Amino acid sequence: MQANGAVGAGAADPASAAGSGSPSCLTAHNGETSAGDIAHSNGLNSSNGLPGASSAEQPGLRKKKRLSQAEEDVIRLIGQHLTGLGLDQTVDLLMQESGCRLEHPSATKFRNHVMEGEWDKAENDLNELKSLVHSPHAIMACRPAAGVSVSENSSASCPTADVIRRMKFLLLQQKYLEYLEDGKVLEALQVLRCELTPLKYNTERIHVLSGYLMCSHAEDLRAKAEWEGKGTASRSKLLDKLQTYLPPSVMLPPRRLQTLLRQAVELQRDRCLYHNTKLDNNLDSVSLLIDHVCSRKQFPCFTQQVLTEHCNEVWFCKFSNDGTKLATGSKDTTVIIWQVDPDTYQLKLLKTLEGHAYGVSYLAWSPDDNYLVACGPDDCSELWLWNVQTGELRTKMSQSHEDSLTSVAWNPDGKRFVTGGQRGQFYQCDLDGNLLDSWEGVRVQCLWCLSDGKTVLASDTHQRIRGYNFEDLTDRNIVQEDHPIMSFTISRNGRLALLNVATQGVHLWDLQDRVLVRKYQGVTQGFYTIHSCFGGHNEDFIASGSEDHKVYVWHKRSELPIAELTGHTRTVNCVSWNPQIPSLMASASDDGTVRIWGPAPYVDNQEFEGMQ
């Protein structure tokens, strides 16, 4: 590249530059030129055109800054975006004034032929593109084996020949389908036999394509081939696939600017500590003019309600799977079912379930929310299975007075549950309390059924979580801690386990890789049983009670709390995040209250604008 005035008019000709395989920016002209100087920027007034006069001596001309690679890329991205908006004249002027080109001329010709359905010409264009395919920047589907010498002139050792073959296959496949849609069966058969098959590529796909000959009409063909049909839509998709074989210096990836902007928005959302709304990939839903920031006022950090109907310590709380109800269990021997108002998110008392003589320390909703199982503390040998709709007790189960049934978990089929305690009982039962299976000698602290319907996770007195398979009667160690595991819960996808560990706090484990991912700081955890939870959209957040009377909230990726919620006056035993309403959370405490947490009552409009 040279400064303005040093390049002759002939050198600025895109066609001559194209044949030489020059970079996408032909000259160094850029936007320092005023509108009146456009003619000069195109190289029409050069030192060759004015003998004896250098560019520095010519009045009104300024030396142009050389465009960096990043500046060239930005110009091309803008040009591609404007082309998509139909502003072709603007793009022509941008390319002319900057001295850049949007894409290689051979690529432009190839694009036009594909979009016009001129398949023979598009196939010939591949010969021109062949020399441009072999580039480290091409996203090629095949690569030479490691350690193999690659020669550009050897189609046997160079991947270029195979890449061209793949591109040709995609072209011919579109040509074949369009012939079939037009009812030109003989022409389609000719393409299949004489053009596609000789390529000796993807024979399995060729067998599938041959089956489309039996389609009775165009709609049948489009449905079976999962194809949009002849026209702009399918040809645009074809171009998107073909582009992956070409380096971006030759043809830009489709909608590249939108992709970069979307990635930037997603990154900002990922880094936003309080982002707790559904991700929308549509760029129209955000402002690109300001950074994405969510206000803490939209996060469930503020007390919405204090429920005081229990008359003793509240040991457990849990929202139903559909988010419409909250169940709370207390030392006062009752379970209260609360209804969540779908509009105001206020809770009101729906039912009180009584008769749990030892108090209620654990609750579990059935997958369909029709039933609720209640367990008591260590000295309780009974388990209650309630019909939530009617408020009637369906089953009161006790295998032995020596039992301690302190934990329960539902099988995903909703027809069975497992229960156990620290005295060595571990049972699988049906809805009537009938014993289906048992596992001897397992001192259970907490239970969870995985989505496979076979595996039960159980934390025990050996400071570990083991997996038990009731079908083949096998068990294996999954998590090993150095201190007692007081409780644990599993993420919706079954990948992560959240543990409350005595004297240590809250730990996050990856069950698949069987590694400790993170230790969360701040919480006070002794030997009380405290229950934490995942929550928010995509379960990006973690919340836990604490013996210092607070609720702690963390972003899953950050060890430090993003919120410490105060209001309770004694140990917070349990936190539950509404699975359907990400801005609603409940906490249960020894102070006898249940607190409902939500966003700040009032948020001004200006703050809303920055929270997209």
Side-chain angles (χ1 to χ4, degrees):
M1 297 182 184
Q2 301 177 41
N4 185 37
V7 180
D13 177 27
S16 62
S20 65
S22 60
S24 58
C25 197
L26 299 178
T27 60
H29 309 308
N30 80 346
E32 292 182 17
T33 314
S34 65
D37 293 328
I38 291 177
H40 302 289
S41 71
N42 291 331
L44 299 177
N45 190 357
S46 68
S47 57
N48 292 333
L50 292 173
S54 68
S55 61
E57 295 168 348
Q58 296 173 33
L61 290 180
R62 290 175 295 173
K63 191 173 182 179
K64 297 298 183 295
K65 182 183 77 171
R66 182 189 181 98
L67 288 177
S68 69
Q69 184 61 53
E71 288 168 333
E72 291 180 25
D73 291 346
V74 170
I75 289 172
R76 294 182 66 208
L77 291 172
I78 293 172
Q80 184 193 45
H81 184 68
L82 294 177
T83 299
L85 298 176
L87 303 176
D88 296 333
Q89 293 183 3
T90 304
V91 175
D92 291 342
L93 184 59
L94 175 63
M95 296 301 129
Q96 180 185 18
E97 190 170 1
S98 66
C100 294
R101 68 180 177 208
L102 188 58
E103 58 187 13
H104 196 284
S106 296
T108 302
K109 185 168 60 171
F110 180 61
R111 178 191 300 278
N112 292 337
H113 288 155
V114 169
M115 292 305 295
E116 292 163 9
E118 298 183 3
W119 306 117
D120 292 339
K121 292 181 180 179
E123 196 174 330
N124 290 332
D125 294 337
L126 290 179
N127 295 324
E128 294 183 31
L129 293 171
K130 187 180 296 184
S131 62
L132 304 173
V133 167
H134 186 56
S135 164
H137 301 293
I139 315 169
M140 293 189 294
C142 67
R143 302 195 181 278
V148 176
S149 175
V150 177
S151 167
E152 281 193 38
N153 297 323
S154 171
S155 61
S157 59
C158 176
T160 302
D162 191 52
V163 169
I164 293 297
R165 185 165 54 129
R166 290 167 185 240
M167 296 177 73
K168 187 174 181 180
F169 185 91
L170 292 172
L171 284 174
L172 292 174
Q173 178 180 250
Q174 179 80 11
K175 179 181 178 181
Y176 169 78
L177 291 173
E178 291 195 7
Y179 273 147
L180 279 182
E181 187 183 45
D182 290 339
K184 299 178 180 179
V185 179
L186 291 179
E187 289 86 341
L189 191 58
Q190 181 77 5
V191 171
L192 188 67
R193 287 179 175 174
C194 303
E195 297 184 67
L196 276 167
T197 303
L199 288 176
K200 296 180 180 179
Y201 173 73
N202 203 344
T203 54
E204 185 178 340
R205 177 62 179 166
I206 288 177
H207 289 318
V208 173
L209 291 173
S210 64
Y212 297 154
L213 287 165
M214 308 305 295
C215 292
S216 56
H217 49 77
E219 290 77 10
D220 187 29
L221 170 68
R222 289 193 289 267
K224 288 183 177 177
E226 297 180 354
W227 179 60
E228 292 81 1
K230 180 179 179 179
T232 303
S234 63
R235 291 173 183 174
S236 295
K237 280 194 174 182
L238 171 63
L239 265 176
D240 289 352
K241 293 178 183 176
L242 292 167
Q243 187 281 325
T244 62
Y245 295 97
L246 296 172
S249 59
V250 175
M251 181 185 285
L252 284 172
R255 298 167 292 282
R256 182 61 184 159
L257 182 58
Q258 292 97 314
T259 299
L260 290 173
L261 292 173
R262 192 174 293 111
Q263 289 172 352
V265 170
E266 288 174 358
L267 181 62
Q268 289 189 23
R269 282 173 172 168
D270 286 344
R271 292 179 175 177
C272 178
L273 289 178
Y274 299 108
H275 189 79
N276 191 28
T277 56
K278 187 176 181 180
L279 295 178
D280 188 347
N281 291 326
N282 185 359
L283 290 177
D284 291 335
S285 66
V286 299
S287 171
L288 300 177
L289 305 181
I290 56 174
D291 286 345
H292 171 86
V293 179
C294 286
S295 168
R296 188 177 186 271
K297 292 185 177 180
Q298 278 300 108
F299 204 71
C301 295
F302 304 87
T303 301
Q304 307 276 23
Q305 271 182 285
V306 180
L307 308 178
T308 59
E309 276 73 6
H310 284 294
C311 56
N312 209 325
E313 297 172 0
V314 186
W315 288 338
F316 200 82
C317 63
K318 185 71 173 177
F319 280 105
S320 59
N321 299 295
D322 63 8
T324 63
K325 298 177 183 66
L326 175 72
T328 57
S330 170
K331 188 179 179 180
D332 67 7
T333 74
T334 68
V335 172
I336 298 180
I337 308 295
W338 310 84
Q339 184 74 45
V340 180
D341 187 289
D343 299 317
T344 65
Y345 299 159
Q346 292 288 299
L347 276 70
K348 63 178 181 179
L349 194 151
L350 184 64
K351 288 184 179 73
T352 300
L353 311 177
E354 300 176 334
H356 310 84
Y358 295 88
V360 179
S361 62
Y362 196 86
L363 296 163
W365 292 90
S366 63
D368 60 7
D369 293 327
N370 287 331
Y371 295 100
L372 184 72
V373 176
C375 298
D378 288 344
D379 50 357
C380 179
S381 62
E382 297 175 325
L383 174 148
W384 294 263
L385 175 61
W386 294 92
N387 185 316
V388 178
Q389 308 301 322
T390 64
E392 295 176 353
L393 181 65
R394 170 160 178 169
T395 304
K396 182 178 178 181
M397 185 193 111
S398 178
Q399 294 294 325
S400 165
H401 292 297
E402 302 297 321
D403 284 352
S404 171
L405 303 182
T406 58
S407 185
V408 66
W410 283 88
N411 189 287
D413 64 13
K415 299 176 182 177
R416 297 168 287 164
F417 58 85
V418 290
T419 183
Q422 290 198 5
R423 296 180 186 172
Q425 296 77 32
F426 187 11
Y427 306 126
Q428 182 169 226
C429 307
D430 63 18
L431 297 183
D432 295 318
N434 299 315
L435 186 64
L436 302 177
D437 297 288
S438 65
W439 210 292
E440 298 298 327
V442 181
R443 298 181 181 272
V444 172
Q445 178 71 27
C446 192
L447 292 165
W448 195 275
C449 290
L450 294 184
S451 58
D452 63 5
K454 304 174 184 177
T455 308
V456 178
L457 301 184
S459 61
D460 57 30
T461 52
H462 297 284
Q463 305 166 4
R464 65 191 180 183
I465 295 177
R466 291 180 66 80
Y468 297 87
N469 190 313
F470 274 92
E471 289 192 359
D472 56 20
L473 300 179
T474 59
D475 60 313
R476 61 191 178 98
N477 210 43
I478 296 176
V479 169
Q480 182 66 59
E481 283 279 1
D482 296 326
H483 298 81
I485 300 170
M486 306 308 294
S487 69
F488 73 91
T489 187
I490 306 296
S491 61
R492 276 198 299 262
N493 61 12
R495 178 73 185 261
L496 300 174
L498 191 63
L499 283 60
N500 283 74
V501 184
T503 73
Q504 301 301 300
V506 180
H507 291 181
L508 183 69
W509 280 79
D510 186 314
L511 296 180
Q512 183 172 309
D513 296 336
R514 296 170 64 183
V515 295
L516 177 62
V517 177
R518 198 160 285 112
K519 296 180 179 181
Y520 297 100
Q521 301 178 24
V523 68
T524 303
Q525 169 79 62
F527 287 90
Y528 286 107
T529 299
I530 292 177
H531 300 272
S532 56
C533 67
F534 294 96
H537 263 297
N538 302 314
E539 294 192 324
D540 285 333
F541 302 98
I542 285 166
S544 177
S546 175
E547 293 179 20
D548 63 3
H549 315 164
K550 296 179 183 178
V551 174
Y552 286 82
V553 183
W554 300 266
H555 196 286
K556 195 162 56 180
R557 293 191 300 271
S558 176
E559 295 179 358
L560 296 175
I562 62 173
E564 298 178 20
L565 312 185
T566 59
H568 286 295
T569 57
R570 292 182 65 189
T571 295
V572 181
N573 298 307
C574 184
V575 181
S576 179
W577 211 305
N578 192 300
Q580 305 300 328
I581 308 171
S583 60
L584 197 62
M585 190 166 60
S587 59
S589 169
D590 281 347
D591 63 12
T593 69
V594 176
R595 282 185 174 258
I596 306 300
W597 306 90
Y602 303 103
V603 180
D604 58 45
N605 293 333
Q606 198 171 18
E607 201 159 18
F608 265 122
E609 291 173 4
M611 288 174 40
Q612 301 176 50

